[in-house]
Amino acid sequence: SGLRYDVQYVRNFTDVDDKIIARAAERGEPPLELASRFIVEFHQDMHALGCLPPTLEPRATDYIQEMVETIERIIANGHAYTVEGGDVYFEVTTLPGYGSLSGRGQEDNRAGERVAVDGRKRGSSDFALWKAVKPGEISWPSPWGPGRPGWHIECSAMIHKVMGPVIDIHGGGRDLVFPHHENEIAQARAANGPSCCGVPHGASDPHTS
């Protein structure tokens, strides 16, 4: 017999990122149309496998404003910064305990191993929260100029909007423990303030302006 828990199961779709934009450009197809087509095919596969549908299936592009607001909170709490050109980066050294999920220390994060080195970043491990628009790319308005969210921020923002500040279980592939899930935790802690991030924000905080 089942445990009869009332479960809210949410499965999100990333419908804009670097790979989707690149593939859409190759095919001469709008990125959101490409993503929608693959979502339909994914649903067909899940039905064929006999998988039950989730309670909700939010798409990243429906929550751009929530992502912008989350980034603004992270900046206000002293854990992110803007650079010339309109990009926004998370500063990992400002967050105590970063790396605790994956067991990686700062010394394990080698510059240029996963993404190209960007000389505008304060630290080689800092990751993008907002990416400024490039010619021909899809974009949305933001306080930092037109652009689109980084990959990691979408989950933190959607979870908070759809399910609230605390969830019971976060699923995902083992290959995503670092950097994706590690960065999701960092963003959520940084956005929710001192009780979560471990940094006392106030008059004595050098990151507070």
Side-chain angles (χ1 to χ4, degrees):
S1 61
L3 297 177
R4 298 182 181 180
Y5 287 118
D6 183 13
V7 176
Q8 184 185 39
Y9 170 38
V10 179
R11 179 175 63 201
N12 70 286
F13 287 112
T14 298
D15 56 351
V16 64
D17 68 0
D18 294 338
K19 293 181 179 179
I20 292 173
I21 291 173
R23 178 63 64 86
E26 291 175 1
R27 300 179 62 90
E29 184 177 4
L32 297 187
E33 291 185 12
L34 174 73
S36 293
R37 181 161 55 81
F38 274 96
I39 288 172
V40 170
E41 294 181 8
F42 173 81
H43 282 149
Q44 292 172 347
D45 290 343
M46 292 299 100
H47 178 74
L49 291 170
C51 296
L52 295 175
T55 311
L56 296 169
E57 283 188 322
R59 298 190 186 194
T61 55
D62 290 332
Y63 293 84
I64 299 295
Q65 183 57 40
E66 285 77 12
M67 296 180 209
V68 169
E69 292 170 359
T70 301
I71 295 170
E72 288 181 312
R73 292 198 303 274
I74 294 173
I75 293 174
N77 286 337
H79 298 293
Y81 58 93
T82 59
V83 298
E84 182 179 359
D87 294 305
V88 181
Y89 286 99
F90 189 101
E91 188 172 7
V92 300
T93 58
T94 67
L95 193 73
Y98 180 84
S100 59
L101 175 68
S102 60
R104 294 171 65 107
Q106 289 296 325
E107 66 277 5
D108 298 322
N109 300 325
R110 294 185 292 271
E113 187 174 79
R114 295 183 65 94
V115 295
V117 176
D118 187 337
R120 300 171 302 165
K121 299 197 300 184
R122 294 176 182 173
S124 60
S125 301
D126 295 352
F127 58 89
L129 298 175
W130 186 261
K131 298 183 176 184
V133 65
K134 296 177 182 177
E137 285 189 348
I138 187 172
S139 67
W140 290 264
S142 83
W144 318 286
R148 57 187 172 86
W151 175 37
H152 312 299
I153 193 65
E154 66 180 61
C155 296
S156 302
M158 285 190 287
I159 287 172
H160 192 275
K161 178 66 175 182
V162 174
M163 306 181 77
V166 178
I167 61 174
D168 297 300
I169 299 173
H170 186 304
R174 292 177 63 87
D175 59 319
L176 298 180
V177 170
F178 187 90
H180 186 52
H181 295 152
E182 191 75 68
N183 291 347
E184 285 182 301
I185 293 173
Q187 292 164 160
R189 292 175 58 209
N192 287 328
S195 64
C196 293
C197 72
V199 176
H201 303 293
S204 61
D205 182 5
H207 293 97
T208 303
S209 57

